[in-house]
Protein backbone atom coordinates (compact mmCIF):
# COMPACT_ATOMS: atom_id res chain seq x y z
CA UNK A 1 0.00 0.00 0.00
CA UNK A 2 1.31 3.44 -0.91
CA UNK A 3 2.34 5.77 1.86
CA UNK A 4 1.03 9.32 1.60
CA UNK A 5 3.69 11.99 2.13
CA UNK A 6 2.54 15.19 3.80
CA UNK A 7 3.79 18.71 2.95
CA UNK A 8 5.41 18.80 6.41
CA UNK A 9 7.46 15.71 5.58
CA UNK A 10 8.52 17.34 2.32
CA UNK A 11 9.42 20.49 4.26
CA UNK A 12 7.16 22.64 2.08
CA UNK A 13 7.14 26.17 3.47
CA UNK A 14 3.94 27.46 1.91
CA UNK A 15 1.33 24.70 1.81
CA UNK A 16 -1.12 27.07 0.14
CA UNK A 17 0.91 26.71 -3.05
CA UNK A 18 1.05 22.91 -2.99
CA UNK A 19 -0.93 21.42 -5.84
CA UNK A 20 -1.37 17.75 -6.63
CA UNK A 21 -0.64 16.74 -10.20
CA UNK A 22 -1.23 13.51 -12.06
CA UNK A 23 1.91 12.69 -14.00
CA UNK A 24 2.63 10.05 -16.64
CA UNK A 25 6.32 9.28 -17.24
CA UNK A 26 7.27 6.86 -20.02
CA UNK A 27 10.70 5.42 -20.57
CA UNK A 28 12.62 4.31 -23.60
CA UNK A 29 13.27 0.84 -24.86
CA UNK A 30 11.82 0.22 -28.33
CA UNK A 31 9.03 -2.30 -27.99
CA UNK A 32 8.34 -1.10 -24.44
CA UNK A 33 6.58 1.75 -26.22
CA UNK A 34 3.92 -0.66 -27.48
CA UNK A 35 3.35 -1.77 -23.89
CA UNK A 36 3.07 1.88 -22.83
CA UNK A 37 0.44 2.31 -25.53
CA UNK A 38 -1.70 -0.39 -23.92
CA UNK A 39 -1.22 1.09 -20.47
CA UNK A 40 -2.19 4.55 -21.68
CA UNK A 41 -5.28 3.20 -23.46
CA UNK A 42 -6.38 1.47 -20.24
CA UNK A 43 -5.85 4.61 -18.15
CA UNK A 44 -7.67 6.76 -20.74
CA UNK A 45 -10.58 4.29 -20.84
CA UNK A 46 -10.88 4.68 -17.07
CA UNK A 47 -11.06 8.47 -17.44
CA UNK A 48 -7.67 9.24 -15.89
CA UNK A 49 -6.36 12.61 -17.08
CA UNK A 50 -2.76 13.75 -16.78
CA UNK A 51 -1.45 17.18 -15.90
CA UNK A 52 2.06 16.37 -17.06
CA UNK A 53 3.32 13.80 -19.55
CA UNK A 54 7.04 13.16 -19.98
CA UNK A 55 9.13 10.58 -21.75
CA UNK A 56 12.50 9.66 -23.09
CA UNK A 57 13.35 7.90 -26.34
CA UNK A 58 10.31 5.87 -27.47
CA UNK A 59 8.48 7.12 -24.38
CA UNK A 60 9.01 10.64 -25.74
CA UNK A 61 7.51 9.61 -29.06
CA UNK A 62 4.47 8.23 -27.22
CA UNK A 63 4.25 11.42 -25.12
CA UNK A 64 4.34 13.57 -28.25
CA UNK A 65 1.53 11.55 -29.83
CA UNK A 66 -0.58 11.76 -26.67
CA UNK A 67 -0.06 15.50 -26.14
CA UNK A 68 -0.10 16.48 -29.81
CA UNK A 69 -2.78 14.09 -31.07
CA UNK A 70 -3.89 15.33 -34.49
CA UNK A 71 -7.39 13.89 -34.11
CA UNK A 72 -7.79 14.84 -30.45
CA UNK A 73 -8.11 11.13 -29.74
CA UNK A 74 -4.70 10.35 -28.24
CA UNK A 75 -5.44 6.72 -27.34
CA UNK A 76 -6.58 5.94 -30.87
CA UNK A 77 -3.70 7.87 -32.49
CA UNK A 78 -1.18 6.10 -30.27
CA UNK A 79 -2.57 2.67 -31.15
CA UNK A 80 -2.71 3.57 -34.86
CA UNK A 81 0.95 4.66 -34.71
CA UNK A 82 1.99 1.33 -33.19
CA UNK A 83 -0.04 -0.64 -35.72
CA UNK A 84 1.54 1.46 -38.48
CA UNK A 85 5.14 0.77 -37.40
CA UNK A 86 4.54 -2.87 -36.44
CA UNK A 87 6.70 -5.45 -38.20
CA UNK A 88 4.55 -7.27 -40.76
CA UNK A 89 7.20 -9.12 -42.77
CA UNK A 90 7.80 -12.25 -40.70
CA UNK A 91 5.37 -15.11 -41.39
CA UNK A 92 3.20 -15.81 -38.32
CA UNK A 93 3.43 -19.58 -38.94
CA UNK A 94 7.08 -19.66 -37.83
CA UNK A 95 7.82 -20.80 -34.27
CA UNK A 96 8.31 -17.82 -31.91
CA UNK A 97 12.06 -18.33 -31.45
CA UNK A 98 12.67 -18.49 -35.22
CA UNK A 99 10.25 -15.62 -35.87
CA UNK A 100 12.14 -13.44 -33.38
CA UNK A 101 15.46 -14.22 -35.06
CA UNK A 102 14.13 -13.58 -38.58
CA UNK A 103 12.39 -10.36 -37.51
CA UNK A 104 15.45 -8.89 -35.78
CA UNK A 105 17.75 -9.90 -38.65
CA UNK A 106 15.41 -8.31 -41.16
CA UNK A 107 15.22 -5.10 -39.10
CA UNK A 108 19.00 -4.94 -38.74
CA UNK A 109 19.56 -5.41 -42.47
CA UNK A 110 16.64 -3.51 -43.98
CA UNK A 111 15.21 -1.38 -41.16
CA UNK A 112 11.57 -0.51 -40.73
CA UNK A 113 10.40 1.76 -43.51
CA UNK A 114 8.08 3.63 -41.12
CA UNK A 115 10.73 4.16 -38.41
CA UNK A 116 14.36 3.76 -39.49
CA UNK A 117 16.47 2.77 -42.48
CA UNK A 118 20.10 1.69 -42.67
CA UNK A 119 22.45 4.37 -43.97
CA UNK A 120 23.89 1.99 -46.54
CA UNK A 121 20.56 2.25 -48.40
CA UNK A 122 21.03 6.00 -48.52
CA UNK A 123 24.67 6.02 -49.66
CA UNK A 124 24.18 7.70 -53.06
CA UNK A 125 22.17 10.49 -51.40
CA UNK A 126 24.52 10.96 -48.43
CA UNK A 127 27.74 10.85 -50.40
CA UNK A 128 26.78 12.70 -53.58
CA UNK A 129 29.45 15.36 -53.03
CA UNK A 130 31.94 13.35 -51.02
CA UNK A 131 34.58 10.86 -52.00
CA UNK A 132 33.56 8.14 -49.55
CA UNK A 133 32.63 4.52 -49.97
CA UNK A 134 30.44 2.08 -48.13
CA UNK A 135 33.62 0.76 -46.52
CA UNK A 136 34.12 4.03 -44.65
CA UNK A 137 31.30 3.03 -42.27
CA UNK A 138 33.65 3.23 -39.28
CA UNK A 139 33.55 7.03 -39.69
CA UNK A 140 29.74 7.18 -39.50
CA UNK A 141 28.35 8.53 -36.22
CA UNK A 142 25.37 6.13 -36.48
CA UNK A 143 24.17 3.30 -38.76
CA UNK A 144 20.47 4.15 -39.21
CA UNK A 145 18.50 7.20 -40.25
CA UNK A 146 15.29 8.06 -38.37
CA UNK A 147 13.99 10.23 -41.21
CA UNK A 148 11.11 7.76 -41.85
CA UNK A 149 10.04 8.10 -38.20
CA UNK A 150 9.83 11.87 -38.55
CA UNK A 151 7.60 11.42 -41.60
CA UNK A 152 5.44 8.86 -39.80
CA UNK A 153 5.04 11.15 -36.77
CA UNK A 154 3.66 13.91 -38.99
CA UNK A 155 0.60 11.70 -39.52
CA UNK A 156 -0.10 11.52 -35.77
CA UNK A 157 1.33 14.62 -34.08
CA UNK A 158 0.27 18.25 -34.35
CA UNK A 159 3.55 19.76 -33.21
CA UNK A 160 1.91 23.14 -32.61
CA UNK A 161 0.19 21.54 -29.57
CA UNK A 162 3.57 20.88 -27.97
CA UNK A 163 5.56 23.58 -26.27
CA UNK A 164 8.19 25.03 -28.62
CA UNK A 165 11.04 23.37 -26.73
CA UNK A 166 9.27 19.99 -26.72
CA UNK A 167 8.57 20.12 -30.47
CA UNK A 168 12.20 20.92 -31.22
CA UNK A 169 13.49 18.20 -28.95
CA UNK A 170 11.27 15.54 -30.53
CA UNK A 171 12.56 16.57 -33.93
CA UNK A 172 16.20 16.55 -32.87
CA UNK A 173 16.68 13.82 -30.32
CA UNK A 174 13.48 11.95 -29.55
CA UNK A 175 13.26 13.48 -26.06
CA UNK A 176 10.23 15.31 -24.69
CA UNK A 177 10.43 17.36 -21.52
CA UNK A 178 7.51 17.53 -19.10
CA UNK A 179 4.52 19.20 -20.66
CA UNK A 180 1.46 20.59 -18.92
CA UNK A 181 -1.78 19.34 -20.48
CA UNK A 182 -4.70 21.76 -20.44
CA UNK A 183 -7.97 20.14 -19.32
Amino acid sequence: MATRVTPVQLKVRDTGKVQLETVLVMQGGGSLGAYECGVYKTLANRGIKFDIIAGTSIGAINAAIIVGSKNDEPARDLEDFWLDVAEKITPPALPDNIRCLVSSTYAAMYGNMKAFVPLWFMMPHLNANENQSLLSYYKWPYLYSTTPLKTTLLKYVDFSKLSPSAANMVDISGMVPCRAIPH
Side-chain angles (χ1 to χ4, degrees):
M1 184 164 168
T3 305
R4 192 153 182 88
V5 179
T6 67
V8 173
Q9 290 170 310
L10 292 174
K11 298 182 182 171
V12 176
R13 292 186 184 131
D14 185 357
T15 57
K17 293 182 182 178
V18 173
Q19 188 177 342
L20 294 178
E21 295 176 317
T22 305
V23 179
L24 176 63
V25 179
M26 295 176 282
Q27 68 182 41
S31 60
L32 182 60
Y35 173 80
E36 292 168 347
C37 170
V39 169
Y40 177 76
K41 282 179 53 183
T42 301
L43 295 171
N45 285 340
R46 294 189 180 261
I48 298 172
K49 304 280 185 198
F50 297 96
D51 300 305
I52 296 173
I53 297 179
T56 186
S57 192
I58 198 64
I61 300 301
N62 285 342
I65 294 169
I66 293 166
V67 173
S69 172
K70 271 199 170 175
N71 300 314
D72 293 322
E73 295 182 52
R76 192 185 98 218
D77 283 345
L78 191 57
E79 181 177 23
D80 288 349
F81 167 79
W82 280 100
L83 291 171
D84 200 9
V85 299
E87 186 270 322
K88 299 172 184 83
I89 302 296
T90 312
L94 290 176
D96 285 346
N97 61 337
I98 301 297
R99 192 165 184 243
C100 180
L101 180 63
V102 170
S103 177
S104 59
T105 302
Y106 183 88
M109 293 300 297
Y110 303 106
N112 176 325
M113 297 306 161
K114 300 281 179 127
F116 63 95
V117 292
L119 286 182
W120 49 88
F121 284 166
M122 302 173 70
M123 285 301 294
H125 170 69
L126 290 178
N127 297 320
N129 298 321
E130 297 177 26
N131 188 15
Q132 292 184 350
S133 72
L134 181 60
L135 299 177
S136 65
Y137 67 89
Y138 65 90
K139 296 179 184 176
W140 299 350
Y142 47 86
L143 296 176
Y144 298 93
S145 168
T146 58
T147 301
L149 178 61
K150 293 174 185 176
T151 303
T152 302
L153 284 175
L154 290 175
K155 290 171 39 181
Y156 300 100
V157 179
D158 176 355
F159 285 93
S160 69
K161 292 181 179 179
L162 303 178
S163 68
S165 62
N168 291 335
M169 291 184 81
V170 167
D171 187 45
I172 294 168
S173 68
M175 307 290 237
V176 173
C178 293
R179 167 79 163 98
I181 309 290
H183 290 285

